[in-house]
Amino acid sequence: MPKISLSLLCLICFSNLIQAQKSKTYSASEIYQEVEKINVLASALYIAAHPDDENTRLITYLSNEVKAETAYLSLTRGNGGQNLISNELGNVLGVIRTQELLNARKIDGGVQYFSSANDFGFSKLPKEAYEKWNKNQITEEMIYLVRKLQPDIIINRFDHRTEGTTHGHHTASAQLSEQIFEKANDKNVFPDQLKKLSLWQPQRLFFNASWWFFGGKEQFKKADKSSYIPLQTGFYYPNLGRSNQEIAALSRSQHQSQGFGDMSARGEDIEYLELIKGPKLQNQQNLFEGIDITWKRVKNGEPIGKKVSQLLSNFNFKDPSKNIDALVEIYKMINALDNSMWKTQKMAEVQKCIALCAGLFLEISSEDQIITPGFDAVFKYEVINRSKYPMEIKEISILNNSFKKEMHTPLLPNQLLLDYFTTKIPSTIPYSNAEWLIDAKKSFYNQFDSHNELSASFQIKVKDIILSYNYPLVYKYKDEVKGEIYDNVLVLPDVSLRFEKEIYLSRNNDEIDITALLKSFRKNIKGTLELVYENAADGKIKSIPVHIPEALKTERVSFKIKPSEQNSETPLKLIFRTETDTFTEEVTLVAHNHIPTQVILSQAKTVVKNIKVATKGKKVGYIMGAGDKIPEGLVNLGYEVILLNISEITAKNLAGYDAVLLGIRAFNTLNELKFKNKELFQYAENGGNVIVQYNTNHSLVTDEIAPYKLILSKDRITDEDAEIHFLKPDHKVLHYPNEISKEDFKGWIQEQGLYYANDFDRNHFVPVFESHDFDEPTTNGGLLIAKYGKGYYTYTGLSLFRQIPEGVPGAYKILANLIALNKDEK
C-alpha cells in the first residue's frame, strides 16, 4: 500500500493563532497624531497589480507625514503566485495574501481595496491581462473607486510605457490608471455610477520609480534621474516613536507568503516619482501643491479647521479625556455640513478620537470560535470607560439585531460592565466565506459597505450626542505560552464534507477506494452520506448512514467504485442529508500565525482520472522547499514517499532511494543546501537519481545547484499550450517507461514552466525540448538531464507543481519517466 510520511493539515490548529482582532491601544501622543489627521483633507490613491507590489515607504509617508487618506488598490489578490510558507496555492494563497495586505495597512496607516481582477499567473503582455480580466469591468471598478474616494493624486507603482519588460499585470495596472485619470470626470463614462457618486478629477498622476526597474541599486545610482521628483521620505515621527522606514518595514514584512520580510532603516530616504499628468510642481516636496487640503476646501468648513487647530494647541496629554468637550463640538460642527465624502470621513475620525480620549473599551466575544445557524451560542460583552468623562451606554446589539439590549447605564469611571448572554444564531445568517471567490464583482462593491453580519454595535451617549460604534465579534482564549489570543468568529455549516484526495488515479480502470471525511461543527450529527456521479442521470450511486456524536470530530467513510470505462474522467461529489438540511460543501480553514483564520467554502468534489502510467522504482525521497503537492501525486502513482529532513541528508542515507526530488524553490528556502548539495551530487554519482524542480534565479543559497555549470534565468513559458519541439527525440526520458509525445503537453494549466536555465554545461546537460511564448525566441532550458557518474542529475522548470494536483496525465507520465532514469529498460 503506498504511503506518505507527512501529515496533510487541512483544518485549523487552534493553538497557533495571531492576536488578529485585538483592539489597538493608543498612547496620548498617538491620540494627538489621530487628532492632527482631522485637520488634513487630502486623499491619495496608490495603484498596482498584486499584494506586495505596493511601496510601503511611500504609503507610510503619505499616511503619517502628510496625514492624507491613503488607499492602495491591488487589482488582484495574488492567487496566481507562489508561496514560501506552505504548499497552499491558487485560491487559498489568494486568501492568505489578501489578509497579509490588510495586516500591512493596519501598520502603515493606509486603507486597502481590491478590484475583481483574477491573478491567473504570470503574463508577459498586458493584452493577455485585459482579455482574461474583462478590461471594461476593471475599468468600471477603477473609475468607481476614484469617484468614491476622490483622490487628489494617484500614484502608479509601474510604468505604463514599458510593455514586455515586466509582468503584464504590472503594466496593465499602470495603463488602466493612466486611461481612467480623466474618464472619472466624464459624465458619459459609466453614467449609472452618478446616481450615487459625483464626477471627480484627480489633480496629478505620478509613476513611482524603483531601483529594481533599472536592474539593481548600483545601476540606479548611475542612472539619469533628472526627470524624477526626489521626494524626501526619511522622517522620524516622535508621536509614534518610529521612523518612516521602520513602520514601512513592519508593514512590508507582513507579506510572509512571498518572503518579503524587511529590515528597519533610519535617516534620510528618497522616493523618486515622475509626473505623468497634471500641473508641474514648484515645490518638489509637496505632491499636493496647489490643492487646498485644509477645511477651507469644504463649504462652511473654515471654522472647523480653526476649532481643530485650537484643540491641537491646547491638547491635554496628561488627561486626554479633557479634550472630549472640544471633540464633541467639532463633531457637531461637521454634522451640520452638507453631505460629502469629507463629512463622512471626518465624522468617523472625530468619533474614533472621542473613544480614544476616553479609553473606551467595547467588545463582545463568543465563547466558541465556531457558531452554527439555528443553534444557541453564548457571548460576553465588556464595556468600560477608563476616564472620568461622563458617558452612558444606551444599547448593545449583535447579528443584525437578533440580540438587542437597551441599557441606559452610566459608564462610571473605570467600572467594568461585563455579562454573559445566550442568543440563537439566525438561520438566515450567511456562512463565513471568502466572498470574492463566489462573486468577485459583488465583493468589489461590498468593500464600501461597512455593514457586517458578524458585528457588535454599541450606542454611547456623550453629552447630548449619541455615537454608534461597530466592531467585529471576536473569539478569544488563553494560550498557556502566548497569553490572550484573538481570532475571528466563524459561522460554519453543521458538517464539512471532503474527499481525502483532490484527485484519484485509476490505472487501467482498476477498482479503487474512495475515502470521504466528514467533520462535525456541532454535537450529535446524524444523517446519510451520498456519493454521487456528477454526470450520472440518476445521480446517487451509494449512501451510508453516519452519526458523529461529538463536535470537531472527523468520521472516515470509504467507498469502492469502478470508474467509467467510457470517460477519461469520472467526477464525484458528496451530499450529506439530515432530517432537516442538506449539506454539500467542504469547509477549508486557512490558519497561519500571522493572519486571522479564514474560511473557504466549496463544493465537496473530486475526480477519478483514468491514466495509463507505468512506473519503475518504489521508494522516493522528497526534500520539501517552499511547499507543493507533488508528494501526494507520487503517492497516487503508487510510490512510497518519504519527506526527508535536510539536516540528515548524506549520500549513504540516500542510497536506498530510487530517486530524490527537490521541491519547488528548495535552493531558495533551505539554507543547509549550501552544504548538503555535495551529498546530493555524491548520491547521484553513486548511481542515484536527483531531480531538481524550479528555483528562482535570485536569493539562491548557493550557486552550485548542480554538479555542472547551471545558470538560471527569468525565462518562462506563460502560454500553457505552447508547442513543444523535441531536441532529443531518442532520449530515454521520452520513451521509458512511458511514451511521451506532444499530446502530453496539452491540457496544462496557467503556464508551461518558469525560471528555465539559459546557460549550462552543454557537454553534460542534455536539453530535451524547446518551446517559446507568442513571438518570442525559443528557449531550451526547461528540462535538462545530465549523466553524472553512475546516476543522473536533472533540472526542470516545468510547472509540475501546478499540473500534478490537477491530474494532468502528461505531467504524471513525465514525472514517472524522470524517476525511472536510472532504471534499466527491460
Side-chain angles (χ1 to χ4, degrees):
M1 187 73 176
K3 66 180 182 179
I4 187 167
S5 58
L6 76 161
S7 297
L8 301 178
L9 299 179
C10 299
L11 292 179
I12 189 172
C13 174
F14 282 97
S15 62
N16 288 320
L17 300 174
I18 193 171
Q19 298 181 36
Q21 303 294 319
K22 189 171 185 177
S23 299
K24 178 183 176 181
T25 57
Y26 288 72
S27 67
S29 59
E30 288 174 316
I31 297 172
Y32 182 85
Q33 175 102 348
E34 294 298 312
V35 175
E36 284 184 308
K37 292 180 181 179
I38 299 172
N39 234 12
V40 179
L41 281 70
S43 179
L45 175 61
Y46 200 93
I47 296 177
H50 310 104
D52 74 39
D53 282 345
E54 84 277 22
N55 183 347
T56 58
R57 293 191 179 200
L58 191 50
I59 291 176
T60 301
Y61 162 81
L62 291 168
S63 298
N64 294 281
E65 174 61 22
V66 180
K67 298 177 178 61
E69 179 74 3
T70 306
Y72 172 46
L73 172 63
S74 175
L75 292 187
T76 77
R77 294 176 186 262
N79 45 306
Q82 283 82 50
N83 183 2
L84 279 178
I85 62 174
S86 67
N87 65 357
E88 297 154 312
L89 296 172
N91 290 335
V92 179
L93 176 58
V95 167
I96 294 170
R97 296 185 72 183
T98 292
Q99 295 303 312
E100 289 177 337
L101 209 46
L102 292 170
N103 283 348
R105 298 293 81 76
K106 291 175 185 177
I107 292 170
D108 60 34
V111 184
Q112 185 60 51
Y113 295 96
F114 300 90
S115 84
S116 64
N118 178 47
D119 182 4
F120 56 84
F122 191 90
S123 66
K124 294 182 177 179
L125 295 172
K127 66 179 182 179
E128 184 182 9
Y130 298 146
E131 292 168 359
K132 294 188 177 182
W133 285 351
N134 185 338
K135 181 180 179 181
N136 188 66
Q137 179 175 314
I138 304 306
T139 301
E140 180 180 357
E141 292 171 1
M142 294 177 72
I143 288 176
Y144 184 95
L145 186 72
V146 170
R147 289 171 173 173
K148 179 74 174 180
L149 302 184
Q150 299 180 13
D152 298 308
I153 61 171
I154 296 177
I155 303 173
N156 293 337
R157 187 39 159 167
F158 300 102
D159 192 338
H160 65 286
R161 301 157 295 193
T162 54
E163 283 197 19
T165 62
T166 182
H167 197 321
H169 294 183
H170 293 169
T171 309
S173 71
Q175 289 181 347
L176 289 170
S177 177
E178 192 268 343
Q179 292 165 18
I180 62 106
F181 185 75
E182 284 95 7
K183 288 182 179 180
N185 199 38
D186 186 339
K187 66 180 181 180
N188 297 313
V189 176
F190 304 115
D192 285 349
Q193 293 182 358
L194 301 177
K195 295 174 183 177
K196 294 183 178 180
L197 305 175
S198 301
L199 296 173
W200 184 254
Q201 179 59 64
Q203 295 301 298
R204 292 187 179 92
L205 175 68
F206 298 96
F207 158 53
N208 180 202
S210 173
W211 59 265
W212 36 269
F213 297 144
F214 291 79
K217 292 182 178 179
E218 290 303 314
Q219 294 91 322
F220 188 53
K221 287 180 181 178
K222 300 173 184 177
D224 178 10
K225 296 186 282 294
S226 59
S227 62
Y228 295 125
I229 299 164
L231 181 68
Q232 299 287 344
T233 60
F235 291 90
Y236 174 70
Y237 307 121
N239 291 339
L240 305 178
R242 287 194 175 108
S243 70
N244 194 80
Q245 302 97 306
E246 287 172 316
I247 297 171
L250 290 171
S251 174
R252 186 71 171 165
S253 298
Q254 298 306 302
H255 297 297
Q256 294 185 22
S257 65
Q258 303 305 293
F260 282 152
D262 203 1
M263 294 288 289
S264 295
R266 287 149 286 274
E268 292 186 353
D269 195 27
I270 297 176
E271 287 294 330
Y272 290 92
L273 297 100
E274 180 183 359
L275 180 64
I276 303 300
K277 291 187 176 183
K280 292 184 179 180
L281 296 176
Q282 301 302 313
N283 177 5
Q284 293 190 332
Q285 300 309 302
N286 181 9
L287 302 182
F288 296 85
E289 183 181 70
I291 305 169
D292 192 342
I293 61 172
T294 73
W295 276 101
K296 292 179 182 179
R297 76 182 301 174
V298 175
K299 182 181 178 182
N300 300 321
E302 188 172 1
I304 299 173
K306 292 179 179 179
K307 185 71 175 180
V308 177
S309 297
Q310 183 181 7
L311 169 59
L312 291 168
S313 298
N314 300 310
F315 192 85
N316 192 315
F317 288 89
K318 187 175 181 180
D319 184 357
S321 69
K322 292 186 176 179
N323 304 303
I324 294 177
D325 279 339
L327 286 167
V328 169
E329 291 305 309
I330 292 168
Y331 183 90
K332 291 178 180 178
M333 294 170 71
I334 298 175
N335 193 34
L337 297 175
D338 294 338
N339 289 333
S340 69
M341 180 272 288
W342 286 117
K343 176 180 177 178
T344 303
Q345 174 68 30
K346 294 304 173 180
M347 284 182 70
E349 291 178 9
V350 175
Q351 182 169 319
K352 174 183 177 181
C353 289
I354 290 172
L356 294 178
C357 286
L360 267 181
F361 180 84
L362 308 170
E363 180 180 275
I364 298 183
S365 59
S366 173
E367 287 294 282
D368 297 300
Q369 181 165 28
I370 296 170
I371 58 179
T372 52
F375 289 85
D376 287 346
V378 179
F379 298 90
K380 177 178 69 174
Y381 67 78
E382 297 179 65
V383 177
I384 188 169
N385 170 14
R386 288 173 285 192
S387 75
K388 296 179 181 180
Y389 195 91
M391 292 185 174
E392 179 183 344
I393 183 164
K394 306 288 288 184
E395 179 186 284
I396 64 170
S397 63
I398 64 170
L399 304 172
N400 289 333
N401 294 322
S402 64
F403 174 86
K404 182 187 291 186
K405 182 177 182 179
E406 294 184 3
M407 303 180 74
H408 307 289
T409 304
L411 294 178
L412 301 176
N414 213 31
Q415 298 296 304
L416 178 65
L417 294 181
L418 183 152
D419 201 2
Y420 292 84
F421 62 94
T422 300
T423 189
K424 185 177 181 179
I425 305 303
S427 58
T428 56
I429 193 169
Y431 296 134
S432 302
N433 199 4
E435 182 187 48
W436 58 274
L437 292 174
I438 304 169
D439 189 334
K441 187 173 183 179
K442 180 180 178 182
S443 179
F444 168 78
Y445 290 104
N446 281 351
Q447 293 176 107
F448 308 98
D449 183 0
S450 60
H451 176 73
N452 182 353
E453 287 84 359
L454 288 180
S455 66
S457 178
F458 303 85
Q459 302 294 322
I460 306 293
K461 184 177 182 182
V462 183
K463 296 188 74 174
D464 56 347
I465 62 173
I466 295 179
L467 303 177
S468 180
Y469 291 95
N470 295 286
Y471 300 102
L473 294 174
V474 297
Y475 169 69
K476 60 181 180 180
Y477 66 97
K478 183 180 78 171
D479 181 275
E480 295 297 335
V481 175
K482 299 179 181 178
E484 187 177 55
I485 302 294
Y486 275 68
D487 198 18
N488 287 337
V489 176
L490 311 175
V491 181
L492 300 182
D494 294 357
V495 64
S496 170
L497 314 176
R498 181 171 69 87
F499 286 100
E500 189 172 43
K501 296 180 180 179
E502 294 181 17
I503 66 164
Y504 289 84
L505 296 188
S506 174
R507 297 161 72 184
N508 303 312
N509 294 103
D510 295 333
E511 185 178 65
I512 60 172
D513 292 323
I514 301 288
T515 300
L517 304 177
L518 283 77
K519 187 176 182 68
S520 61
F521 292 118
R522 66 171 181 83
K523 295 180 181 179
N524 202 28
I525 298 291
K526 291 181 180 180
T528 301
L529 179 66
E530 300 173 355
L531 180 67
V532 178
Y533 277 134
E534 282 197 78
N535 55 2
D538 59 350
K540 185 170 65 175
I541 61 167
K542 287 188 178 181
S543 63
I544 296 177
V546 176
H547 178 213
I548 311 178
E550 298 181 56
L552 300 179
K553 294 295 182 181
T554 300
E555 184 80 10
R556 298 172 65 89
V557 180
S558 294
F559 301 88
K560 281 188 178 294
I561 74 161
K562 185 175 178 61
S564 169
E565 295 184 5
Q566 288 75 36
N567 302 308
S568 61
E569 297 185 358
T570 305
L572 301 172
K573 64 181 180 181
L574 293 171
I575 299 176
F576 185 71
R577 302 184 193 276
T578 68
E579 289 184 357
T580 58
D581 294 297
T582 298
F583 300 94
T584 62
E585 293 178 308
E586 174 182 351
V587 178
T588 300
L589 298 181
V590 184
H592 291 276
N593 288 343
H594 66 303
I595 63 173
T597 302
Q598 302 298 306
V599 179
I600 298 177
L601 297 183
S602 56
Q603 170 69 56
K605 60 184 179 180
T606 189
V607 62
V608 180
K609 297 212 173 190
N610 301 327
I611 300 179
K612 293 183 179 180
V613 182
T615 60
K616 295 295 179 181
K618 291 293 182 184
K619 189 175 181 181
V620 173
Y622 203 88
I623 302 171
M624 190 65 74
D628 58 66
K629 295 183 179 181
I630 297 290
E632 294 96 302
L634 294 171
V635 170
N636 271 337
L637 285 177
Y639 294 103
E640 177 187 357
V641 182
I642 307 298
L643 289 189
L644 299 173
N645 186 328
I646 184 71
S647 63
E648 297 175 353
I649 288 178
T650 65
K652 181 178 179 181
N653 290 343
L654 298 179
Y657 291 92
D658 293 298
V660 173
L661 284 77
L662 278 73
I664 62 174
R665 297 172 78 169
F667 278 104
N668 298 128
T669 59
L670 301 176
N671 194 55
E672 287 182 278
L673 276 178
K674 70 173 66 173
F675 311 111
K676 293 295 184 177
N677 56 348
K678 300 295 195 301
E679 299 292 339
L680 294 172
F681 301 163
Q682 187 63 54
Y683 158 71
E685 188 174 17
N686 293 345
N689 183 12
V690 177
I691 302 165
V692 180
Q693 297 179 78
Y694 98 89
N695 288 266
T696 64
N697 63 348
H698 56 86
S699 302
L700 290 165
V701 299
T702 174
D703 292 331
E704 293 184 84
I705 65 173
Y708 303 118
K709 180 183 178 182
L710 181 69
I711 307 299
L712 304 183
S713 71
K714 292 185 178 180
D715 292 347
R716 59 204 300 160
I717 305 298
T718 61
D719 180 6
E720 59 269 32
D721 298 317
E723 185 176 359
I724 290 288
H725 174 65
F726 293 121
L727 299 172
K728 299 291 180 182
D730 296 328
H731 197 286
K732 178 181 178 180
V733 77
L734 299 178
H735 302 282
Y736 183 76
N738 302 282
E739 288 293 327
I740 304 296
S741 71
K742 292 183 179 181
E743 292 298 310
D744 292 303
F745 287 87
K746 293 183 178 179
W748 287 42
I749 64 161
Q750 186 161 320
E751 63 200 354
Q752 192 176 91
L754 62 169
Y755 289 95
Y756 288 5
N758 66 346
D759 190 8
F760 50 88
D761 185 338
R762 296 181 181 273
N763 293 323
H764 293 94
F765 275 115
V766 176
V768 177
F769 70 86
E770 66 180 10
S771 61
H772 66 89
D773 251 342
F774 310 111
D775 297 326
E776 295 186 357
T778 58
T779 179
N780 63 4
L783 178 57
L784 303 175
I785 300 174
K787 191 78 172 69
Y788 187 63
K790 299 178 182 178
Y792 288 87
Y793 204 92
T794 297
Y795 175 80
T796 180
L798 289 172
S799 62
L800 300 176
F801 72 101
R802 296 200 191 279
Q803 315 312 320
I804 293 298
E806 295 296 325
V808 177
Y812 273 93
K813 292 167 67 176
I814 292 167
L815 188 56
N817 283 17
L818 287 172
I819 292 172
L821 278 172
N822 61 345
K823 302 301 177 186
D824 293 331
E825 297 185 44
K826 295 181 181 178

